[in-house]
Amino acid sequence: MMDSERVFRMSFAKVYPLLLNKAVKKGRTQEEVDAVICWLTGYSQAELDSLPPSMTYGSFFLHAPQPNPNRALIKGTVCGVRVEEVSDPLMREIRLLDKLIDELAKGKPLDKILRKG
C-alpha cells in the first residue's frame, strides 16, 4: 500500500499526465479527462489550466472549489481498493478520481461516468 502522505505531497503537475495517458492510450481525449476532473472537483477548465505547477495532489483536492455531491454515487474498486470504504477523506477523493479515469479508459460513456443522481 502506497504511503498516503507521499501521494498527498506529489505534484498535481506530475499526476495529471499519468491520468491523461491512461485514458488517451485507450482512445479517450484530454477534453474527456478534464471533464471528469472538473465534474468531480468543481474546478473550471480555466482554473484547471492555470493551476500552479507547485500545487500538490493533496492541495488540489483540499482546495477543490465545489466537490460534486453526486461523487457519493461512485462505487466499486480501483487497484483492489473499494473506493467507498477508504477511510481517509482525502485519499477517498483521490481514489474516486482514479475510479472515474478507470471507467473512462474502459470505454464507459462520459454521460454515465458523470453521475447525475
Side-chain angles (χ1 to χ4, degrees):
M1 181 97 182
M2 194 179 267
D3 173 39
S4 296
E5 284 303 316
R6 206 175 93 218
V7 174
F8 300 158
R9 285 193 309 266
M10 290 168 64
S11 140
F12 181 75
K14 283 203 167 110
V15 175
Y16 178 79
L18 302 174
L19 298 170
L20 183 60
N21 187 40
K22 181 176 191 170
V24 169
K25 273 191 335 202
K26 300 290 187 172
R28 303 312 285 255
T29 66
Q30 179 172 355
E31 290 73 25
E32 289 174 309
V33 170
D34 289 355
V36 165
I37 293 171
C38 292
W39 177 88
L40 182 67
T41 61
Y43 284 104
S44 69
Q45 186 64 55
E47 289 168 325
L48 195 58
D49 292 341
S50 63
L51 291 173
S54 59
M55 179 174 264
T56 66
Y57 206 28
S59 291
F60 173 76
F61 286 100
L62 289 172
H63 295 41
Q66 195 168 357
N68 195 308
N70 285 343
R71 72 193 191 291
L73 302 171
I74 303 167
K75 308 266 188 254
T77 58
V78 62
C79 302
V81 177
R82 186 156 283 287
V83 294
E84 62 271 27
E85 293 174 2
V86 175
S87 58
D88 182 292
L90 185 53
M91 184 53 83
R92 185 176 324 115
E93 296 297 320
I94 289 170
R95 290 297 188 186
L96 291 175
L97 180 55
D98 288 344
K99 177 68 178 162
L100 295 178
I101 297 298
D102 263 8
E103 290 179 356
L104 198 56
K106 287 179 177 159
K108 192 169 186 178
L110 193 58
D111 64 329
K112 296 271 190 269
I113 294 170
L114 308 182
R115 277 97 171 149
K116 304 290 188 234

